[in-house]
Amino acid sequence: DVQLVESGGGSVQTGGSLRLSCTASGYAVSNYCMGWFRQAPGKEREGVAVIDSDGTTDYADNVKGRFTISRDNVKNTLFLQIDSLKPEDSAMYFCAGDSTVTRACYCIGDYCYTPISGYWGQGTQVTVS
């Protein structure tokens, strides 16, 4: 079975940093498009960053310069480094991995590709005050 398990969330002050992790089992993080998504209460889920199988990364406009997506193929783990945190970054953060190859692993404006068929983690909460 495929499992994606997020960790690293927490409560931080404005301007702080967090590093989120998404550890995969039964799934290779380097094989397909993967991404980080977030959902705040009362708001729709939004993609913030994606990384393609070749390592190409892309970000939603509203997080560019502050968020960095990366992966460690040996540890089979996806990361999201979040710097200069703002209260509006408060949300549940999810990682997701596609199950098929796509040519659409990128972001346009504030929208990032969302796997049509794939796997999702349970999320990790980020709260900025």
Side-chain angles (χ1 to χ4, degrees):
D1 289 354
V2 173
Q3 278 194 320
L4 301 178
V5 180
E6 301 94 336
S7 61
S11 296
V12 296
Q13 292 187 334
T14 298
S17 298
L18 283 173
R19 189 191 196 203
L20 309 184
S21 299
C22 170
T23 301
S25 58
Y27 181 90
V29 299
S30 60
N31 280 6
Y32 303 105
C33 178
M34 292 196 75
W36 284 96
F37 302 80
R38 67 185 181 185
Q39 188 167 21
K43 295 187 176 181
E44 291 189 354
R45 183 182 64 198
E46 60 176 356
V48 295
V50 293
I51 182 167
D52 209 344
S53 56
D54 65 357
T56 303
T57 60
D58 205 359
Y59 302 89
D61 283 351
N62 57 2
V63 304
K64 277 183 181 176
R66 299 190 300 118
F67 287 27
T68 304
I69 187 171
S70 63
R71 69 185 183 216
D72 184 324
N73 295 343
V74 174
K75 295 181 178 179
N76 208 30
T77 300
L78 183 74
F79 301 102
L80 184 69
Q81 177 69 37
I82 311 175
D83 298 318
S84 303
L85 276 158
K86 305 175 181 180
E88 51 264 43
D89 294 321
S90 296
M92 185 71 79
Y93 283 71
F94 303 87
C95 66
D98 215 337
S99 59
T100 59
V101 175
T102 178
R103 294 183 178 181
C105 190
Y106 52 81
C107 305
I108 298 177
D110 289 340
Y111 172 80
C112 291
Y113 170 76
T114 300
I116 298 173
S117 61
Y119 308 97
W120 291 79
Q122 293 299 307
T124 185
Q125 179 68 41
V126 172
T127 303
V128 186
S129 59

